[in-house]
């Protein structure tokens, strides 16, 4: 596909330059990857820069009460629901430059391929806040606020590394923090929504496909686990007298991994990615361990079997190691089916332009999970080199990015003229 000749003022080279520019907005204390934590200084600066750039480009730009960024290209009939696209700018610590940000930048590029009033409907880009769970322990917070899926009690309880919850961070930055009604998006806002994202896996690369057409998204079930043992001198305490919280935790973590491996045939995965040990000293038996559990998949029954294995393992560890264990649920989301009709539009365009593609599911969660219950929604994946994501080595070839961005632009235009 080639760029449409209706908007030569924003080229594929401009998009490439913006991808590079956005990499400047990172916490530069380690030199590794991109650290742009939700609502951190770098995240705020990136949103403000992009808002200024899109306004300068002639789009209608505004930010809502939690800082969600909207940019709209007017269509011919402004009474009709718009066609939306978008993703997020925040990253995990020492993450990559493409996760989330590519969907935003390609979305901006897609809107700029059309002139105002060229299409029947408006096009709108949404830049969601706090998609990553790294800071607050909950994913897709921004899109949940927009769609009325607020879990106030749990969001108040979970705190970031500085001891602040989501609401306190909003307040400190001057955002709306006690009533989100003005942030809700109406059911007639969009007629369709398409999110572009890197795959974060190896299927496209392994199958030598340029595009993934995503028709379903796996959902996470998450827990916070606290194991309370007894801290003692590592040299003076015999092995049979120990209440080692870390050894007990290791047994549970290993069991979760085994359970997920058993369920892998259903696409289920289990991960323990964060672990805090107290007192964390070489010569002291660990007295307390806190760790997080992330179980996700597309088969609800399979997910529940891994959850049951976790519960059984906790009960056994308490008996075997003399520890007390508290398991607190963080979230339990449902897998999401995406819209077949939009997937068919994307597929027909791939066939039209002889783009290699495959239909697939997303193992990672995305803001589209919260958008899909309100509007017909689909996703476009572009390959991740070696399947690497959430890592400094995350990379997507620009030739693949260009194909995906042009495909997104034509998909949005096709849907906007329906």
């Amino acid at each position: 596909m080639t760029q449409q000749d209706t908007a030569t003022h924003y080229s594929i080279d401009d998009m490439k330059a913006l991808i590079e520019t956005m990499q400047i907005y990172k916490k530069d204390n380690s030199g590794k990857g991109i650290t742009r934590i939700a609502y951190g200084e770098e995240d705020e600066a990136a949103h403000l820069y992009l808002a200024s750039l899109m306004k300068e480009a002639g789009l209608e730009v505004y930010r809502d009460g939690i800082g969600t960024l909207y940019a709209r290209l007017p269509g011919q009939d402004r009474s009709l629901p718009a066609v939306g696209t978008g993703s997020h700018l925040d990253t995990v610590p020492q993450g990559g430059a493409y996760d989330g940000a590519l969907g935003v930048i390609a979305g901006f590029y897609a809107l700029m391929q059309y002139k105002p009033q060229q299409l029947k409907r408006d096009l709108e880009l949404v830049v969601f806040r706090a998609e990553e769970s790294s800071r607050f322990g909950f994913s897709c917070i921004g899109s949940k606020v927009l769609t009325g899926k607020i879990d106030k009690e749990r969001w108040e309880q979970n705190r970031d590394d500085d001891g602040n919850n989501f609401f306190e961070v909003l307040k400190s930055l001057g955002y709306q923090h006690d009533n989100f009604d003005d942030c809700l998006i109406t059911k007639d806002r969009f007629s369709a929504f398409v999110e572009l994202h890197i795959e974060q896996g190896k299927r496209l690369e392994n199958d030598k496909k340029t595009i993934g057409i995503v028709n379903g998204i796996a959902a996470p079930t998450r827990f916070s686990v606290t194991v309370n043992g007894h801290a003692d001198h590592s040299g003076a305490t015999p092995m049979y007298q120990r209440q080692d919280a870390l050894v007990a935790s290791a047994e549970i973590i290993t069991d979760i991994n085994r359970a997920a491996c058993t369920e892998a045939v259903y696409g289920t995965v289990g991960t323990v990615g964060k672990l805090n040990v107290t007192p964390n000293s070489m010569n002291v038996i660990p007295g307390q361990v806190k760790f997080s559990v992330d179980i996700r998949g597309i088969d609800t029954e399979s997910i529940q079997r891994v959850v049951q294995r976790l519960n059984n393992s906790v009960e056994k560890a308490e008996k075997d190691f003399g520890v007390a264990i508290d398991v607190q649920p963080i979230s339990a989301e449902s897998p999401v089916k995406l819209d077949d009709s939009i997937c068919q539009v994307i597929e027909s365009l791939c066939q039209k332009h002889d783009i290699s593609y495959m239909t697939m599911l997303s193992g990672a969660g995305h803001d589209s999970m919260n958008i899909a219950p309100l509007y017909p929604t689909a996703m476009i994946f572009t390959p991740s080199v070696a399947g690497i994501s959430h890592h400094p080595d995350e990379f997507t070839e620009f030739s693949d990015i260009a194909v995906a961005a042009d495909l997104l632009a034509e998909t949005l235009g096709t849907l906007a003229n329906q």
Side-chain angles (χ1 to χ4, degrees), residues 146-204:
L146 304 192
T147 55
K149 298 179 180 178
I150 300 167
D151 193 337
K152 193 169 189 297
E153 184 177 346
R154 287 185 178 176
W155 292 6
E156 285 177 336
Q157 292 173 353
N158 264 43
R159 297 180 177 275
D160 63 14
D161 291 340
D162 296 321
N164 300 309
N165 65 34
F166 171 66
F167 304 101
E168 291 166 342
V169 169
L170 287 184
K171 184 177 181 180
S172 71
L173 294 172
Y175 288 116
Q176 187 171 312
H177 61 280
D178 51 6
N179 184 349
F180 296 123
D181 288 349
D182 292 342
C183 299
L184 291 171
I185 51 178
T186 59
K187 290 185 178 180
D188 62 351
R189 187 181 190 97
F190 297 119
S191 62
F193 192 92
V194 183
E195 180 177 2
L196 184 147
H197 206 281
I198 60 171
E199 181 195 353
Q200 302 176 283
K202 301 179 182 179
R203 287 194 63 195
L204 290 175

Side-chain angles (χ1 to χ4, degrees), residues 260 262-269 296-299 302-303 305 361:
T262 300
E263 297 293 332
V265 66
Y266 300 101
T268 302
V269 295
R296 63 176 74 197
I298 55 174
D299 187 303
S302 176
I303 292 170
R305 285 193 292 270
L361 296 165

Side-chain angles (χ1 to χ4, degrees), residues 38-198:
Y39 289 104
E41 181 180 344
E42 300 78 20
D43 187 38
E44 289 290 283
H47 275 258
L48 290 174
Y49 169 74
L50 196 59
S52 174
L53 186 67
M54 294 192 297
K55 189 173 183 179
E56 184 179 316
L59 299 176
E60 299 174 356
V61 178
Y62 82 95
R63 302 171 81 214
D64 72 4
I66 64 166
T68 307
L69 178 59
Y70 295 88
R72 186 171 280 235
L73 178 78
Q76 297 164 6
D77 187 347
R78 309 216 63 186
S79 68
L80 294 173
V83 172
T85 188
S87 198
H88 62 98
L89 293 178
D90 62 304
T91 73
V92 300
Q94 296 184 4
Y98 301 87
D99 176 8
L102 184 59
V104 171
I105 295 166
F108 175 37
Y109 167 84
L111 264 63
M112 294 302 295
Q113 301 318 295
Y114 301 98
K115 297 176 182 177
Q117 287 82 46
Q118 179 180 345
L119 301 171
K120 183 178 178 180
R121 301 172 186 269
D122 291 5
L123 297 182
E124 184 164 71
L125 171 65
V126 185
V127 187
F128 299 103
R129 302 305 301 256
E131 192 270 354
E132 301 290 0
S133 59
S134 304
R135 182 167 189 179
F136 301 109
F138 300 95
S139 62
C140 303
I141 288 180
S143 55
K144 286 173 181 172
V145 170
L146 304 192
T147 55
K149 298 179 180 178
I150 300 167
D151 193 337
K152 193 169 189 297
E153 184 177 346
R154 287 185 178 176
W155 292 6
E156 285 177 336
Q157 292 173 353
N158 264 43
R159 297 180 177 275
D160 63 14
D161 291 340
D162 296 321
N164 300 309
N165 65 34
F166 171 66
F167 304 101
E168 291 166 342
V169 169
L170 287 184
K171 184 177 181 180
S172 71
L173 294 172
Y175 288 116
Q176 187 171 312
H177 61 280
D178 51 6
N179 184 349
F180 296 123
D181 288 349
D182 292 342
C183 299
L184 291 171
I185 51 178
T186 59
K187 290 185 178 180
D188 62 351
R189 187 181 190 97
F190 297 119
S191 62
F193 192 92
V194 183
E195 180 177 2
L196 184 147
H197 206 281
I198 60 171

Side-chain angles (χ1 to χ4, degrees), residues 290-301:
K290 293 183 178 181
F291 62 89
S292 59
V293 179
D294 183 314
I295 304 165
R296 63 176 74 197
I298 55 174
D299 187 303
T300 303
E301 291 182 0

Side-chain angles (χ1 to χ4, degrees), residues 374-409:
L374 289 180
Y375 317 105
T377 300
M379 294 188 70
I380 295 171
F381 273 177
T382 188
S384 298
V385 173
I388 296 171
S389 185
H390 284 191
H391 187 277
D393 293 340
E394 177 183 280
F395 182 70
T396 294
E397 297 286 354
F398 189 74
S399 57
D400 289 332
I401 291 173
V403 171
D406 279 329
L407 177 62
L408 175 67

